[in-house]
């Protein structure tokens, strides 16, 4: 089973006026994603930005990147509130983790053993008829 990612291990950067509670919320939500994967999350980074000059419905932005055992997952979300943007980026990353898990399981499915080459050639030979 995967070791849980600690909230303190999530790096958070801020641009603009971002409340300290939003930084804590981002760390906790991103760290909670480790429950949805059996692979280790090697790196987690979130960038939170608040731009009052933007459209009010897209004022807050959250971008995140996760390194899941060598596979990079990126997500971005914009919302009216910082908490909405954080929830949106968490939801997108969770979907990425589910797709990554599905790709991994399809890659390692059991296949029937291949026939031996000699035997395959014997099955396709035509019987010899004396002339």
């Amino acid at each position: 089973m995967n070791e849980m990612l600690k909230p303190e291990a999530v790096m958070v950067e801020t641009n603009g006026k971002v409340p300290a509670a939003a930084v804590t919320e981002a760390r906790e939500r991103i760290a909670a994603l480790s429950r949805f994967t059996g692979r280790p999350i090697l790196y987690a980074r979130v960038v939170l930005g608040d731009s009052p000059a933007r459209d009010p419905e897209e004022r807050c932005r959250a971008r995140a990147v996760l390194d899941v055992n060598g596979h990079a997952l990126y997500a971005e979300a914009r919302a009216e509130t910082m908490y909405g943007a954080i929830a949106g980026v968490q939801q997108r990353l969770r979907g990425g983790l589910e797709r990554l898990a599905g790709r991994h399981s399809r890659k390692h499915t059991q296949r029937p053993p291949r026939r031996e080459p000699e035997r395959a050639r014997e099955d396709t030979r035509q019987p010899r008829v004396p002339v």
Side-chain angles (χ1 to χ4, degrees):
M1 185 67 188
N2 184 25
E3 186 177 314
M4 295 292 285
L5 179 67
K6 305 267 189 254
E8 301 83 36
V10 178
M11 296 187 341
V12 179
E13 296 177 21
T14 61
N15 297 322
K17 294 183 180 180
V18 177
V23 172
T24 303
E25 178 82 9
R27 281 193 171 113
E28 290 174 359
R29 282 184 174 262
I30 299 304
L33 290 170
S34 62
R35 293 181 296 159
F36 300 104
T37 182
R39 297 172 168 190
I41 296 177
L42 304 175
Y43 175 79
R45 179 176 167 224
V46 180
V47 179
L48 303 174
D50 181 22
S51 177
R54 289 192 154 278
D55 180 24
E57 292 180 7
E58 294 185 349
R59 178 179 169 175
C60 300
R61 179 180 70 185
R63 292 184 306 175
V65 61
L66 294 181
D67 179 348
V68 183
N69 201 28
H71 294 277
L73 293 177
Y74 299 93
E76 180 175 347
R78 295 179 186 263
E80 194 171 340
T81 66
M82 189 58 65
Y83 299 101
I86 294 167
V89 83
Q90 181 194 29
Q91 184 179 16
R92 285 181 174 90
L93 286 172
R94 184 174 175 185
L97 287 171
E98 289 171 357
R99 284 189 299 279
L100 186 62
R103 182 174 28 196
H104 181 70
S105 66
R106 283 192 308 269
K107 192 175 188 180
H108 298 288
T109 57
Q110 292 289 341
R111 294 183 182 158
R114 295 175 65 159
R115 294 194 325 180
E116 298 173 10
E118 282 296 314
R119 185 174 178 168
R121 277 189 250 142
E122 287 177 14
D123 292 344
T124 59
R125 286 188 190 151
Q126 297 292 326
R128 291 193 160 193
V129 179
V131 182

